[in-house]
Amino acid sequence: MGALLLFTGCAKYESGDFTGGDTSTSSAAVDCSQGGCVALRPSCPAESERGCQAAVFVQGGTLSLGAVGIEEPVQPQISVSNFWIDAQEVTVARFRRFVQAGSPVPANPVAYPANRTVPPGAVREAVSDDGNAICNWSASPGSREEHPINCVDWYTALAFCAWDGGRLPTETEWEWAARGRTGTNLTTGRAYPWGDFAPTCGTSHYNQCQGEEGAETKKVASFPNVLGISDQAGNVAEWVADVSANYGDPNCWGDQVRQDPLCTQGGTNFVTRGGSFQSDANNGLHSAQRESSNALERRDSLGFRCARSP
């Protein structure tokens, strides 16, 4: 029998592109309904499951990355190509299917726009809840299956997304999805995904709000989505693909590539976006706010979502 084919966008990946796991659970089904093709996720057997709403197609465009007083120097005229992004943060239930498949590691660097690649690393199991509501993972299904997976490192998040038919988003894609797209009463460059008014416990989950199910987090998509995407402010911060570098660093930003940038130089700290249940209500949740963590760090306030290319 030939190798199972997994379609990501309109490119083919054979089952041999992963090591250390059972890739037979990967899906060969493809959705070509929105201007390109995108793999249907093996982590999501049904879109009716919380956390499995269809990935959102995002039309590319141009934005100013950063914000005065938040992240500077602001980088104007940064362009991003079309992409898909998960409507919701990756849940414990979705991550469990990755573990059940053997937690496969990509055998090759993960492909990104503009012919860039990101090398994978070793996968480590998520840290289990220690009885103090810190981590949402448990060895067997529990009460937090609909909460975001947290306490996973950057390499594990990247491997999950590759197995699921995608990749971690770049921080340009992440910020474009949060504040670059426009809609009714939503302007380019707004402070938060929903506009310029400050967060409340009715719009996002931050340090003044209560968790549920005995956790610090809330179930994903507990708040109204913004242009189809939930929880880009609060709940858990999210790993993105970029190495952490100041916007003035000429190796990654400055006068360098303005189309689909991806910072791959500078160390082992990677950017995190979106704030979390530990963040304050204002700057901590601003869509331009950037933080970073070491790639091997497994924080209770940090999870991820995946993106896909056409």
Side-chain angles (χ1 to χ4, degrees):
M1 181 180 293
L4 175 72
L5 295 181
L6 170 65
F7 289 76
T8 301
C10 293
K12 298 177 182 178
Y13 290 81
E14 296 189 3
S15 59
D17 287 340
F18 294 89
T19 62
D22 173 13
T23 59
S24 64
T25 57
S26 296
S27 171
V30 179
D31 176 9
C32 296
S33 64
Q34 301 189 75
C37 302
V38 64
L40 300 182
R41 300 161 292 179
S43 70
C44 282
E47 288 185 6
S48 58
E49 179 181 308
R50 186 186 287 264
C52 283
Q53 179 180 327
V56 174
F57 178 74
V58 178
Q59 186 77 38
T62 302
L63 77 159
S64 290
L65 200 65
V68 175
I70 302 294
E71 292 295 337
E72 301 179 84
V74 174
Q75 295 298 304
Q77 298 300 304
I78 299 289
S79 296
V80 60
S81 299
N82 298 345
F83 62 99
W84 281 265
I85 193 166
D86 282 354
Q88 297 158 359
E89 293 165 334
V90 174
T91 60
V92 172
R94 287 179 62 189
F95 189 81
R96 190 174 302 284
R97 296 182 184 108
F98 171 66
V99 173
Q100 291 168 344
S103 303
V105 179
N108 300 303
V110 178
Y112 275 79
N115 296 316
R116 296 179 178 85
T117 59
V118 172
V123 169
R124 297 189 296 168
E125 186 174 356
V127 177
S128 297
D129 172 36
D130 64 358
N132 293 314
I134 290 176
C135 297
N136 290 337
W137 176 251
S138 56
S140 57
S143 62
R144 302 183 193 174
E145 298 299 292
E146 295 180 335
H147 285 247
I149 186 67
N150 58 1
C151 301
V152 294
D153 66 32
W154 182 88
Y155 292 107
T156 301
L158 180 69
F160 172 94
C161 288
W163 168 82
D164 207 36
R167 52 180 175 75
L168 286 173
T170 67
E171 65 170 317
T172 300
E173 290 171 335
W174 194 99
E175 188 165 327
W176 175 255
R179 65 194 299 253
R181 299 178 302 152
T182 59
T184 303
N185 300 319
L186 297 177
T187 59
T188 299
R190 57 193 178 274
Y192 306 100
W194 55 79
D196 290 316
F197 63 90
T200 69
C201 290
T203 60
S204 57
H205 183 49
Y206 54 97
N207 65 0
Q208 298 299 309
C209 311
Q210 295 295 315
E212 59 183 346
E213 313 289 343
E216 296 285 357
T217 54
K218 293 181 74 70
K219 293 177 181 177
V220 302
S222 292
F223 305 96
N225 71 65
V226 181
L227 300 178
I229 302 175
S230 300
D231 297 325
Q232 276 202 280
N235 215 14
V236 288
E238 300 174 13
W239 287 115
V240 294
D242 298 70
V243 171
S244 179
N246 183 276
Y247 281 158
D249 186 336
N251 290 317
C252 290
W253 311 102
D255 293 327
Q256 301 301 308
V257 177
R258 317 301 284 180
Q259 175 72 45
D260 294 314
L262 171 63
C263 185
T264 59
Q265 303 179 55
T268 57
N269 280 9
F270 288 81
V271 176
T272 67
R273 288 299 200 114
S276 73
F277 62 82
Q278 294 179 344
S279 300
D280 64 58
N282 297 306
N283 288 352
L285 298 187
H286 195 290
S287 294
Q289 180 74 40
R290 308 163 76 220
E291 296 183 356
S292 68
S293 285
N294 183 275
L296 297 180
E297 198 165 355
R298 294 182 286 186
R299 289 168 38 197
D300 59 320
S301 59
L302 182 54
F304 64 98
R305 75 179 74 219
C306 304
R308 292 155 182 82
S309 298

